[in-house]
RNA sequence: GCCCCCAUCGUCUAGAGGCCUAGGACGCCACCCUUUCAAGGUGGAGAUCAGGGGUUCGAAUCCCCUUGGGGGCACCA
């Protein structure tokens, strides 16, 4: 039988990094096995589910390149797949029908206990240091008793009978697992009093109906797996193979959460993490290829992936390592690709500067292209492009007199150097060509003639024209700036320095 | 409280009884390269393999216990 596995997120929040990892492992496993990867939206929590979250999930998966074979929407097309619909709220009839069957077979029963009663039970159990469980008040009601309650207008939930036994299964990640059903909290509610289905029930009904062969999901579902197995059995369905993935952890080793970590995929995307890095990093968080290579693209991961090699202990999400890997993938992008991905980040940065009241010049395609070799290897995240090169597009850069003077120099020397450098650039460099190669020799010569360290001269110029001490290579920077702007900024810096000097002299 | 899972450098991991005086990567430190910042290169510090018992000629690797951590036990998913 060919492999079918699914990613089943609920749209109660933006696509979570942990969900991405689960989706990725499902995808890798399905592709590796030549099986199907199915996306199912678990939106039965009406109170918390929102369409924009569903959109965020679909967008995120598309962006990562984790395309699904069946699901609510495929690559912008309408839903597709023979086991649809793929949104649970569109599958209510299926659940109702399945519940009906269980009721008929007395594998489930209506329960009339009020939430208040259940709450009181739970409190009592807690006080008696008992594990919380349903006491079974409605488990053996006679037909008349049920009718009486119905007559009172009490809306019943439907409970699934959980018999006493040890349920065992062989988890692909954890091996043999056995759980006593008596520790699971008693008979399970599968339908709310309004008739809507609950998670454990929908999972079993859907996985059965969608012919899922492998359930690959987070470890938080491990203890609940017997419930699903019992339900599969009651439904007369085959029991899929399970693989429970280790949790992704906060730095304090608790389950990764919004409170303590940045969990939304979209947030990483907005910071300029590239899909290659996110996929690569997450693949290696809990799985390893067994070799010492660690930079893999999606297709390479598919070739190598194996659930056997999934780690069983939880893994702390290490942003530093992600950033390193992101830099690796940014550098591996083709120039065209890099340009296309980086530009929106620069544009956005400049827009922000504009709204902050600064005068900004719009970058031209050609000058951005020229910038690529200078910046591509300097970005840990794409969003860093703004800070790196915005001085090229700002009408005025703020130059601090303090920064302008190199460590070994004083104000006088700096002033002299900037004026001299300006002269050299104005007189010796052709306005037409103005290339990095022709800038360097005369400026080095200048430093030598005056007995300055070239580095000091260059630093003074750098700060003068960019307002920063860390920039792309100086001569390329001057070229990017252009002759006119370079001269202008040297002038202005000289004024700033002279102005700062004046009061003290 | 009960049940389940987990346990190798700070972090991600290699290791499926002898190849381990435990390997790689991130991070950290130093040096090299260098006009700054990165990138890159070289080297270094960093794990008595949580602790204790077994099994075995031999254990990070198998078993048991302890400890620690995590997860689960909803008319949430």
């Amino acid at each position: 039988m060919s492999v079918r596995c699914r990613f089943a997120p609920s749209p109660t929040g933006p696509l979570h990094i942990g969900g991405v990892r689960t989706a990725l492992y499902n995808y890798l496993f399905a592709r590796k096995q030549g099986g199907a990867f199915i996306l199912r939206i678990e939106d039965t929590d009406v109170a918390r589910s929102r369409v924009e979250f569903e959109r965020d999930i679909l967008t995120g998966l598309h962006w990562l390149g984790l395309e699904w074979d069946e699901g609510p929407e495929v690559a912008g097309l309408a839903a597709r797949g023979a086991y649809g619909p793929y949104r649970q709220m569109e599958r209510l009839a299926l659940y109702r029908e399945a519940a009906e069957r269980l009721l008929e077979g007395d594998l489930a029963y209506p329960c009339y206990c009020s939430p208040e009663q259940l709450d009181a039970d739970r409190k009592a159990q807690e006080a008696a240091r008992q594990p919380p469980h349903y006491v079974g008040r409605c488990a053996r009601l006679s037909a008349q008793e049920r009718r009486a309650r119905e007559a009172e207008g009490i809306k019943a939930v439907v409970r699934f009978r959980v018999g006493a036994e040890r349920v065992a299964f062989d988890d692909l990640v954890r091996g043999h697992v056995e759980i006593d059903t008596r520790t699971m909290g008693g008979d399970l509610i599968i339908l709310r009093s309004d008739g809507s289905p609950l998670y454990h029930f929908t999972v079993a009904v859907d996985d059965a109906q969608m012919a899922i062969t492998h359930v690959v999901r987070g470890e938080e579902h491990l203890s609940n797996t017997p419930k699903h197995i019992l339900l599969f059995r009651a439904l007369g369905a085959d029991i899929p193979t399970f693989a429970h993935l280790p949790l992704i952890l906060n730095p304090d080793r608790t389950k990764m959460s919004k409170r303590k970590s940045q969990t939304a995929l979209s947030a990483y995307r907005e910071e300029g993490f590239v899909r290659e890095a996110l996929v690569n990093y997450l693949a290696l968080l809990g799985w390893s290829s067994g070799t010492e290579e660690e930079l893999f693209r999606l297709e390479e991961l598919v070739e190598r992936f194996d659930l056997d090699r999934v780690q069983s202990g939880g893994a702390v999400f290490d942003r530093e390592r992600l950033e390193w890997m992101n830099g690796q993938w940014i550098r591996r992008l083709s120039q065209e690709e890099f340009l296309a991905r980086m530009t929106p980040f620069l544009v956005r940065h400049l827009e922000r500067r504009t709204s902050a009241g600064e005068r900004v010049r719009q970058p031209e395609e050609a000058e951005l292209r020229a910038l690529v070799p200078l910046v591509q290897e300097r970005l840990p995240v794409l969003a860093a492009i703004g800070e790196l090169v915005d001085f090229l597009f700002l009408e005025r850069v703020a130059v601090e007199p303090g920064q302008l003077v190199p460590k070994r120099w004083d104000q006088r020397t700096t002033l002299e150097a900037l004026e001299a450098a300006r002269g050299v650039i104005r007189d010796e460099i052709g306005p037409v060509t103005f290339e990095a190669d022709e800038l360097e020799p005369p400026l080095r010569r200048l430093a030598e003639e005056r007995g300055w360290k070239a580095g000091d001269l260059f630093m003074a110029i750098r700060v003068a024209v960019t307002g920063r001490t860390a920039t792309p290579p100086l001569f390329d920077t001057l070229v990017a700036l252009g002759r006119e702007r370079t001269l202008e900024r040297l002038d202005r810096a000289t004024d700033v320095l002279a102005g700062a000097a004046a009061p003290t002299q």
Side-chain angles (χ1 to χ4, degrees):
Chain A
M1 181 170 50
S2 119
V3 163
R4 292 175 57 79
C5 54
R6 84 303 195 274
F7 174 52
S10 60
T12 51
L15 182 54
H16 187 286
I17 224 69
V20 172
R21 207 268 311 255
T22 301
L24 175 61
Y25 282 30
N26 271 282
Y27 173 90
L28 294 175
F29 180 68
R31 290 286 171 271
K32 174 67 182 291
Q33 301 293 322
F37 174 52
I38 295 142
L39 178 65
R40 180 172 77 219
I41 301 294
E42 309 218 324
D43 54 357
T44 54
D45 184 347
V46 181
R48 294 194 298 148
S49 292
R50 299 227 299 245
V51 272
E52 57 262 46
F53 292 141
E54 179 183 313
R55 197 168 313 125
D56 183 79
I57 291 165
L58 299 184
T59 306
L61 294 175
H62 280 317
W63 179 69
L64 290 165
L66 304 183
E67 299 303 336
W68 50 96
D69 304 296
E70 297 175 29
E73 172 240 280
V74 179
L77 305 171
R80 104 169 165 207
Y83 300 84
Y86 294 90
R87 268 183 208 90
Q88 293 187 324
M89 287 309 279
E90 296 168 9
R91 300 171 61 82
L92 295 178
L94 257 41
Y95 309 127
R96 190 139 325 158
E97 181 193 320
E100 211 51 57
R101 266 195 290 148
L102 296 182
L103 283 167
E104 274 166 29
D106 195 38
L107 297 167
Y109 59 88
C111 167
Y112 302 92
C113 298
S114 67
E116 294 72 29
Q117 262 176 115
L118 297 174
D119 216 48
D121 288 348
R122 218 165 291 132
K123 289 225 168 65
Q125 288 156 3
E126 198 178 320
R129 302 175 141 214
Q130 297 273 307
H133 61 279
Y134 177 59
V135 296
R137 217 173 353 248
C138 299
R140 305 283 162 213
L141 295 182
S142 66
Q144 296 97 295
E145 286 172 311
R146 285 183 189 156
R147 270 198 299 278
R149 275 157 230 225
E150 298 286 346
E152 284 179 53
I154 302 175
K155 289 276 179 235
V157 301
V158 175
R159 278 189 193 269
F160 174 66
R161 293 190 195 279
V162 175
E165 65 169 301
R166 286 189 74 76
V167 175
F169 57 100
D170 291 295
D171 191 280
L172 255 25
V173 173
R174 272 143 233 286
H176 191 76
V177 178
E178 258 183 67
I179 296 173
D180 193 319
T181 56
R182 278 167 298 200
T183 68
M184 295 191 325
D187 296 340
L188 182 72
I189 300 183
I190 57 176
L191 250 43
R192 294 185 179 91
S193 48
D194 66 2
S196 64
L198 255 13
Y199 173 72
H200 298 300
F201 187 51
T202 58
V203 163
V205 170
D206 289 344
D207 285 343
Q209 185 270 345
M210 293 182 179
I212 299 301
T213 60
H214 296 259
V215 172
V216 179
R217 68 206 336 180
E219 195 199 325
E220 67 264 32
H221 291 110
L222 187 63
S223 328
N224 286 322
T225 300
K227 293 176 185 171
H228 306 160
I229 290 178
L230 258 28
L231 250 0
F232 281 122
R233 269 188 346 216
L235 260 11
D238 290 335
I239 294 164
T241 303
F242 295 94
H244 287 94
L245 308 175
L247 261 21
I248 298 181
L249 273 22
N250 293 311
D252 65 3
R253 305 201 73 91
T254 55
K255 182 162 91 166
M256 194 188 195
S257 62
K258 193 165 75 178
R259 262 273 151 261
K260 297 174 180 171
S261 306
Q262 183 172 83
T263 56
L265 174 71
S266 56
Y268 288 91
R269 184 178 175 180
E270 280 158 22
E271 281 189 71
F273 285 94
V274 297
R275 64 178 73 94
E276 291 84 348
L278 254 353
V279 162
N280 192 165
Y281 177 73
L282 256 12
L284 260 35
L285 198 61
W287 171 82
S288 73
S289 71
T291 68
E292 285 187 351
E293 329 156 71
E294 47 192 349
L295 261 15
F296 302 109
R297 2 183 60 95
L298 190 56
E299 314 82 68
E300 296 169 322
L301 288 167
V302 168
E303 276 171 40
R304 284 156 235 247
F305 189 76
D306 189 347
L307 284 171
D308 294 348
R309 298 196 55 87
V310 171
Q311 200 83 16
S312 34
V316 174
F317 187 86
D318 181 1
R319 189 197 158 94
E320 299 256 30
R321 188 167 150 82
L322 206 213
E323 269 190 28
W324 165 78
M325 204 170 262
N326 201 52
Q328 294 295 319
W329 282 110
I330 286 178
R331 276 170 229 126
R332 280 168 173 73
L333 258 23
S334 70
Q335 296 212 349
E336 282 306 309
E337 191 61 30
F338 173 75
L339 184 64
R341 296 207 208 177
M342 163 274 267
T343 303
F345 285 90
L346 178 58
V347 169
R348 200 175 318 153
H349 177 86
L350 294 177
E351 280 167 3
R352 273 198 297 270
R353 301 300 295 249
T354 303
S355 22
E358 290 179 74
R359 300 236 307 261
V360 174
R361 185 171 62 82
Q362 279 315 300
E364 285 160 30
E365 161 87 24
E367 58 182 328
L368 289 183
R369 194 171 295 277
L371 239 36
V372 168
L374 304 183
V375 299
Q376 187 165 8
E377 65 182 30
R378 290 185 160 70
L379 299 179
V381 291
L382 294 174
I385 186 66
E387 287 287 303
L388 225 205
V389 301
D390 62 358
F391 62 83
L392 290 171
F393 308 104
L394 298 175
E395 291 278 300
R396 293 184 151 271
V397 290
V399 177
E400 287 178 42
Q403 276 199 314
L404 214 36
V405 182
K407 292 170 296 268
R408 280 183 292 261
W409 286 10
D410 56 16
Q411 214 157 30
R412 267 180 75 95
T413 315
T414 308
L415 206 48
E416 181 191 340
L418 290 178
E419 277 165 356
R422 187 186 185 285
V424 165
I425 293 169
R426 186 196 53 209
D427 301 338
E428 301 186 31
I429 317 290
V432 182
T433 49
F434 203 69
E435 282 167 6
D437 287 351
E438 47 177 355
L439 279 160
E440 185 165 354
L443 287 169
R444 277 196 190 277
R445 209 177 308 125
L446 172 66
E448 203 176 327
E449 283 165 11
R450 308 281 176 112
W452 298 327
K453 288 213 163 216
D456 290 335
L457 205 218
F458 296 164
M459 183 51 90
I461 299 174
R462 168 178 296 111
V463 175
V465 300
T466 68
R468 299 180 195 281
T469 53
T471 68
L474 180 63
F475 305 108
D476 297 300
T477 298
L478 297 184
V479 171
L481 214 44
R483 188 168 185 269
E484 290 316 306
R485 261 192 293 268
T486 297
L487 293 173
E488 212 177 279
R489 287 190 184 184
L490 283 170
D491 267 343
R492 213 178 292 147
T494 309
D495 292 347
V496 166
L497 199 57
T504 56
Q505 276 181 352

